[in-house]
């Protein structure tokens, strides 16, 4: 994937675009047919997308020669600890490669020795979207992807005019926020704020050009960020309240009801935080009674009430 110039193989020249397409197709097949099912069967991993039972005849990484030992009585013993370590190492390498592949289409201008253009890679982008989105559903892969810089790439995709990229980025960020590990969730949520994603999330929520699944993902992201005090403060400072109130008025059918419910839950979190003084607008203090100035709390409540949220509630 990283070769910058064409390669001659058996008298034929393989272009950069062909090599990259083959690389991504290979990673796509490896991820969905081998690595992801192995993570699903691991005791401490969850994968809501892959149906392992439907892939029982596919290749598996669960029994490697290096992780087994033949006993004198003919019984084969599997070293589970070594197996898990190998699986984790393989996951680290694969996620790093996926993020690097996604980075090649993050909006940065790229030129190749053979004259290939980024427009030549359109089919690859669709496969990349599938891998990235599915990668973000796996708990063990999320912190690796965030550490490798996937959030910066997803924010760039949100800003693009490519609706497929916008959809993939929104659904992926929503998956990243749903981790069950509270410590990891706090770190990932902070990274989402630090990468400047809130502005793009608001734009997605109010956009009429994206599907309801994308807008729902945006509303759910804001709902999750309104739980913890530090990210709740960032939501308020980014003027997300008006966006959330406006979503309450879309309570018209089943698809928009879900968006309205997510927005309503986020607003209730903001109200609760303001009334119980549990936000952290003033950094450097742990005293909740002094954490938020009274005028700031009043502004939060006023913005929600004056925006017309009460009647919708």
């Amino acid at each position: 994937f990283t070769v910058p110039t064409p390669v001659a193989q058996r008298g034929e020249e393989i272009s950069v675009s062909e090599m990259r397409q083959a690389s991504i197709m290979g990673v796509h097949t490896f991820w969905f047919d081998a690595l992801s099912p192995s993570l699903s069967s691991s005791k401490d991993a969850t994968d809501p997308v892959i149906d392992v039972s439907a892939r029982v005849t596919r290749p598996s990484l669960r029994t490697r020669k290096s992780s087994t030992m033949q006993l004198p009585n003919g019984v084969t013993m599997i070293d589970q600890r070594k197996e898990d370590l190998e699986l984790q190492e393989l996951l680290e390498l694969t996620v790093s490669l996926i993020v690097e592949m996604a980075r090649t289409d993050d909006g940065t201008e790229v030129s190749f020795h053979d004259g290939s253009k980024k427009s030549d890679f359109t089919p690859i982008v669709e496969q990349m979207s599938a891998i990235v989105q599915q990668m973000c559903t796996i708990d063990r892969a999320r912190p690796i992807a965030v550490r490798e810089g996937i959030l910066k790439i997803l924010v760039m995709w949100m800003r693009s005019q490519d609706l497929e990229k916008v959809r993939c980025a929104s659904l992926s960020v929503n998956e990243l926020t749903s981790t069950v590990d509270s410590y990891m969730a706090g770190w990932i949520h902070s990274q989402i704020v630090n990468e400047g994603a809130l502005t793009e999330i608001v734009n997605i929520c109010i956009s009429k050009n994206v599907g309801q699944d994308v807008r729902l993902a945006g509303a759910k992201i804001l709902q999750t960020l309104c739980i913890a005090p530090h990210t709740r403060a960032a939501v308020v400072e980014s003027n997300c309240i008006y966006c959330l109130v406006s979503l309450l008025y879309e309570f018209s059918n089943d698809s928009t009801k879900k968006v309205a419910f997510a927005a309503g839950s986020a607003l209730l979190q903001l109200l609760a935080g303001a009334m119980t003084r549990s936000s952290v607008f003033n950094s450097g203090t742990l005293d909740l009674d002094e954490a938020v100035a009274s005028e700031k709390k009043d502004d939060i409540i006023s913005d929600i009430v004056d925006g017309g949220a009460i009647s919708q509630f």
Side-chain angles (χ1 to χ4, degrees), residues 52-206:
V52 182
S53 63
R55 296 180 178 270
V56 292
T57 60
R58 300 283 186 163
S60 173
L61 302 176
R62 297 303 300 166
T63 54
R64 294 198 196 116
K65 184 176 180 181
S66 60
S67 301
T68 63
M69 181 174 64
Q70 193 77 24
L71 299 180
N73 60 1
V75 176
T76 300
M77 184 176 68
I78 298 177
D79 186 342
Q80 188 64 48
R81 184 164 176 250
K82 185 175 182 181
E83 183 78 10
D84 287 340
L85 288 173
E86 290 177 348
L87 185 61
Q88 183 65 29
E89 180 181 0
L90 187 57
L91 176 64
E92 293 259 357
L93 293 172
T94 307
V95 170
S96 298
L97 178 58
I98 290 172
V99 173
E100 183 61 31
M101 287 176 166
R103 186 175 286 115
T104 63
D105 200 62
D106 64 355
T108 306
E109 190 60 40
V110 178
S111 58
F112 302 106
H113 183 272
D114 63 351
S116 300
K117 299 178 181 179
K118 294 185 71 174
S119 57
D120 298 334
F121 306 141
T122 301
I124 304 178
V125 173
E126 297 176 358
Q127 289 190 325
M128 278 307 311
S129 297
I131 304 174
V132 169
Q133 185 178 334
Q134 212 277 337
M135 175 183 68
C136 292
T137 67
I138 299 178
D139 247 1
R140 287 173 64 169
R142 288 167 182 155
I144 306 171
V146 173
R147 183 196 67 204
E148 293 296 320
I150 193 62
L151 278 172
K152 185 182 293 293
I153 297 169
L154 294 177
V155 171
M156 293 290 292
W157 285 9
M158 286 182 179
R159 292 172 181 160
S160 72
Q161 300 299 315
D162 188 328
L163 294 182
E164 178 59 33
K165 282 187 183 179
V166 173
R167 182 178 185 276
C168 172
S170 303
L171 299 180
S172 298
V173 173
N174 183 41
E175 292 291 350
L176 289 174
T177 63
S178 62
T179 180
V180 296
D181 186 310
S182 57
Y183 176 80
M184 193 61 62
W187 175 64
I188 292 178
H189 297 173
S190 296
Q191 292 300 310
I192 291 173
V193 172
N194 294 338
E195 291 295 343
L198 283 174
T199 300
E200 307 308 323
I201 294 168
V202 169
N203 291 336
I204 287 170
C205 287
I206 62 178

Side-chain angles (χ1 to χ4, degrees), residues 220-280:
K220 284 185 174 181
I221 296 169
L222 294 179
Q223 176 187 356
T224 303
L225 296 180
C226 285
I227 296 175
H230 64 295
T231 50
R232 183 163 61 231
V235 169
V236 173
E237 294 294 341
S238 299
N239 296 318
C240 296
I241 290 179
Y242 301 107
C243 166
L244 292 170
V245 172
S246 68
L247 294 179
L248 293 180
Y249 283 84
E250 299 192 15
F251 196 88
S252 57
N253 56 54
D254 289 340
S255 61
T256 56
K257 280 180 182 179
K258 294 179 181 179
V259 176
F261 277 132
S265 297
L267 289 171
L268 290 175
Q269 292 283 355
L270 293 177
L271 283 169
M275 291 187 287
T276 59
R277 305 183 178 189
S278 59
S279 293
V280 284

